Amino acid sequence: MAQLYPKARIKWACRRGMLELDVLLEPFVEDAYDQLSDEDKMVFQRLLEVEDPDLFAWFMGHEKCPHTDLGQMVQFILDRVRV
C-alpha cells in the first residue's frame, strides 16, 4: 500500500513548470490539504504524479480526466479556487 508523504514533500511537488498549475496547487495545499481524508490525500498525491501538460488540459477543461478519482480531485480543487 502506498504511503502518505509529509506535507513538505507535497508542497514541493506542487511547484510545477507551469505558473497556471502553481497558482492552483500551491494555495490548495496551504488552505485545504490538511482537511482532506487520508484517502483524498492519496488521490492528491497521485494527481501530483501526472505530467504537467495533462494536468493543464484537465484543469483548463480541454480534456476530460480518464480517471474518476483524479477527475473528482481536479473538480474539487477548481471549485475551491472559484469560491
Side-chain angles (χ1 to χ4, degrees), residues 44-79:
F44 186 72
Q45 283 182 192
R46 285 187 32 239
L47 187 69
L48 294 177
E49 295 171 1
V50 174
E51 297 292 328
D52 285 359
D54 292 330
L55 282 179
F56 181 79
W58 299 346
F59 278 111
M60 297 302 131
H62 301 303
E63 293 179 18
K64 184 175 178 353
C65 176
H67 309 282
T68 303
D69 56 347
L70 296 182
Q72 289 171 341
M73 182 58 67
V74 166
Q75 191 58 55
F76 182 70
I77 293 168
L78 287 172
D79 289 345

Side-chain angles (χ1 to χ4, degrees), residues 24-42:
L24 288 169
L25 298 174
E26 291 180 23
F28 177 78
V29 169
E30 285 298 320
D31 299 337
Y33 182 78
D34 291 334
Q35 286 76 44
L36 295 177
S37 68
D38 285 352
E39 181 179 342
D40 285 340
K41 287 178 182 177
M42 294 299 298

